């Protein structure tokens, strides 16, 4: 068998060799044939003209191949292999030159959405003309708001609570009108704020002590407050030393520059008014609300304005009123009003407060304090007798951006009859534990997709991010360098929470375009903030903030409005020598840098805290110091 197998293998091998030889011969013949045919088709001379008719048709449409007459084929011939049927080059398109010059010096205090001239177009009824009225896109300024000539970097806190440079807010109206009330004085080239107010001539500290004798301001149960018609915000300024954060607001130019003075002092404040739309805060936000002769007609319009205070006041929160009509028996002559008028006003306020189920807990001297119920169990029973205001139909009580106020009572979250003393929506931890405790809105699952685990992870994430920021921005790491900070897209307030041990405050903004409305949870952490559409200007004066932080805001507003307009608004509200940190996709940041480079910002793009492989990058920038020229230049 072995011999037979070897014979067969040898026989097959001979056949294979013969097949290979035939294959090689066939390939050689074909290659030679095609080579000769190629030479024949491409050779010059009369043979070239005797091509087939179809080849002749193609040759008429082809670009002729010509050779220099004086040469034959040689290695010196330069063959042209370029295409000859390309379309013409398109005309060059010039890149748009970015030009954002300084505005005229007359715009140094420009607040686009509270412009006095534009407001004249709107109704005087209910002071609607003093609400936000923003310019149309075509009306927006494409220039940078200048600081006034002589502007100086503000004093650091706590000195700024008492002193400011007159050149920064060059107004004397209040120093004359409130001369005897210790609001503000001009001393040389400085403004002084003695801490006085119309209803607290002994100073804000003594006034707050009087409040502290009536309700507990020390046990951490009161952390967030709102001051309506704030003046120069001395009440909020002196609460800061007691770990109470107050948002102060007043309309523009009721008294010239009052909110501007507050901001220059380093106190949280916004331009705002109780008129026809809701205040830009979520429901159940504040532990305490305050009015000291704020001139708001609380008893009018079916109690509309007290109903709005009820919406933003947390269950168990306090409302404090001093000034007319409280203690009218003593002050009626000084207020230049009749006894009957003042008594009727107080009776009306008392009536509205009862209809809201508030309980008056104290009236002493010039102070009266009411408390909102912790839930609406008893209130529902009382409504069988007190029909107005009725409970609002099912609605979103946190919706507060151009949302009309209603004369109905905002429903509190339900509690069971067994929890008759329970806190609607969930009880808040006391400060400072409140900062990192899981907010009730998250515990209850009312914020879509946000769990307790995500909240904890987000808090830890921002601790790491802020630590990285401080290695990159040494001014942020310097305690006391910055006082007023703005976070343009706060989510859960993690950025502010990570800075809580520094002597500063952060205004947390939740854009109205955000996927989830988280501002209520931010307030439940004991932080403050507001709603904002960044296609519009913020309700604040120029040079409000020392520092601006933004996380993915430009990606959020892509195709909604112009990147230039958002950057110009940031420039308007940022102080000279203030800093900016912008987190976003690298392509977005490259565009941003091309714009801010012509805005007198010193900017650089740095890697993500996790390293260079991340697409998200971080832009660090400083607004350079510049001012309007002197009036004689």
């Amino acid at each position: 068998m072995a011999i037979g197998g070897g014979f067969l293998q040898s026989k097959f091998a001979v056949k294979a060799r013969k097949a290979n030889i035939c294959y090689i011969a066939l390939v050689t013949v074909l290659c030679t044939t095609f080579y000769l045919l190629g030479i024949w088709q491409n050779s010059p001379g009369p043979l070239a003209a005797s091509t087939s008719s179809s080849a002749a048709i193609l040759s008429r449409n082809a670009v002729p191949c010509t050779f220099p007459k004086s040469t034959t084929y040689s290695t010196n011939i330069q063959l042209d292999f370029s295409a000859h049927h390309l379309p013409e080059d398109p005309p060059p398109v010039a890149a748009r030159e970015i030009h954002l010059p300084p505005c005229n010096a007359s715009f140094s205090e420009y607040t686009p959405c509270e412009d006095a001239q534009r407001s004249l177009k709107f109704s005087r009824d209910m002071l609607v003309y003093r609400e936000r009225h923003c310019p149309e896109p075509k009306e927006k300024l494409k220039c940078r708001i200048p600081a006034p000539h002589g502007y100086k970097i503000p004093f650091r806190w706590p000195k700024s609570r008492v002193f400011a440079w007159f050149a920064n807010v060059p107004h004397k109206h209040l120093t004359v009108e409130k001369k005897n009330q210790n609001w503000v004085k001009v001393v040389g080239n400085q403004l002084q704020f003695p801490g006085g107010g119309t209803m607290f001539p002994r100073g804000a500290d003594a006034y707050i002590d009087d409040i502290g004798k009536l309700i507990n301001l020390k046990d951490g149960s009161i952390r967030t407050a709102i001051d309506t018609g704030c003046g120069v915000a001395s009440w909020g300024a002196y609460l800061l030393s007691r770990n109470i954060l107050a948002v102060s607001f007043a309309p523009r130019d009721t008294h010239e520059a009052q909110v501007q003075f507050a901001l220059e002092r380093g106190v949280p404040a916004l331009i705002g008014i109780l008129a026809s739309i809701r205040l830009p805060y979520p429901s159940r936000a504040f532990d305490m609300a305050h009015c000291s002769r704020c001139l708001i007609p609380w008893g009018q319009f079916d109690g509309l304005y007290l109903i709005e205070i009820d919406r933003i006041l947390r269950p168990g929160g306090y409302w404090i009123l001093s000034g007319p009509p409280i203690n009218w028996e003593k002050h009626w002559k000084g207020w230049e009003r009749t006894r009957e008028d003042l008594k009727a006003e107080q009776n009306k306020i008392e009536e509205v407060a009862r209809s809201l189920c508030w309980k008056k807990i104290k009236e002493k001297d010039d102070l009266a304090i009411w408390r909102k119920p912790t839930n609406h169990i008893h209130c529902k029973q009382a409504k069988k007798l007190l029909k107005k205001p009725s409970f609002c139909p099912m609605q979103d009580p946190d919706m507060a951006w151009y949302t009309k106020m209603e004369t109905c009572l905002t429903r509190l979250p339900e509690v069971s009859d067994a929890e008759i003393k329970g806190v609607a929506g969930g009880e808040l931890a006391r400060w400072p534990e409140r900062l990192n405790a899981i907010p009730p809105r998250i515990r209850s699952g009312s914020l879509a997709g946000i769990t307790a685990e995500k909240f904890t992870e987000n808090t830890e994430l921002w601790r790491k991010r802020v630590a990285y920021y401080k290695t990159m921005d040494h001014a942020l790491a310097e305690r006391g360098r910055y006082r007023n900070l703005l976070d343009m897209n706060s989510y859960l307030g993690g950025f502010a929470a990570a800075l809580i041990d520094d002597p500063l405050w952060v205004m947390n903004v939740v854009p109205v375009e955000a996927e989830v409305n988280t501002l209520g949870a931010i307030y439940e952490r004991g932080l403050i903030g507001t709603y904002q559409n960044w296609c519009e200007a913020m309700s604040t004066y120029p040079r409000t903030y020392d520092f601006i932080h933004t996380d993915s805001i430009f990606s959020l507003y892509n195709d909604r409005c112009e990147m230039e307009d958002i950057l110009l608004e940031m420039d308007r509200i940022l102080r000279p020598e203030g800093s900016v940190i912008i987190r976003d996709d690298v392509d977005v940041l490259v565009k941003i840098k091309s714009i801010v480079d012509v805005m007198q910002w010193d900017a650089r793009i740095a890697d993500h805290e996790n390293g260079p492989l991340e697409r998200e990058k971080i832009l660090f920038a400083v607004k350079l110091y510049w001012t309007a020229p002197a009036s004689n230049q």
Side-chain angles (χ1 to χ4, degrees), residues 12 38 84 170 186 300 356 398 406 431 449 490 505 512 584 607:
F12 286 133
H84 291 270
V186 177
Q300 296 181 25
L356 300 175
D398 291 349
E406 299 177 278
W431 184 262
S490 298
W505 56 267
V512 294
D584 221 310
D607 285 330

Side-chain angles (χ1 to χ4, degrees), residues 287-425:
D287 301 316
M288 179 168 60
H290 173 258
C291 163
S292 174
R293 202 172 187 179
C294 59
L295 305 178
I296 295 172
W298 297 113
Q300 296 181 25
F301 312 116
D302 296 321
L304 183 66
Y305 300 142
L306 273 181
I307 289 172
E308 174 63 0
I309 295 299
D310 179 85
R311 183 186 70 85
I312 64 175
L313 203 59
R314 74 165 173 84
Y318 300 95
W319 184 57
I320 301 169
L321 176 63
S322 65
I326 303 303
N327 203 5
W328 57 266
E329 296 94 336
K330 177 180 178 182
H331 298 296
W332 67 276
K333 288 184 178 179
W335 291 338
E336 298 181 350
R337 292 174 61 183
T338 66
R339 290 170 176 264
E340 292 75 21
D341 181 30
L342 289 163
K343 183 178 180 181
E345 182 181 349
Q346 178 148 358
N347 289 342
K348 185 61 178 177
I349 290 173
E350 302 274 10
E351 178 187 336
V352 174
R354 282 194 300 271
S355 73
L356 300 175
C357 304
W358 292 4
K359 180 181 179 181
K360 190 174 186 179
I361 62 173
K362 205 76 174 178
E363 181 173 336
K364 183 178 180 182
D365 299 327
D366 296 339
L367 286 166
I369 302 178
W370 286 262
R371 192 178 190 193
K372 179 178 175 175
T374 56
N375 60 62
H376 276 162
I377 291 178
H378 288 304
C379 193
K380 288 178 181 177
Q381 299 170 356
K383 284 299 169 188
K384 296 175 182 178
L385 297 175
L386 298 170
K387 301 294 183 183
K388 291 185 178 181
S390 60
F391 283 105
C392 294
M394 297 307 293
Q395 39 120 292
D396 183 357
D398 291 349
M399 187 180 295
W401 187 251
Y402 295 123
T403 305
K404 288 289 184 181
M405 286 190 282
E406 299 177 278
T407 54
C408 58
L409 182 57
T410 299
R411 297 172 183 268
L412 287 174
E414 295 289 340
V415 297
S416 66
D417 291 340
E419 300 174 298
I420 197 164
K421 293 186 178 179
V423 178

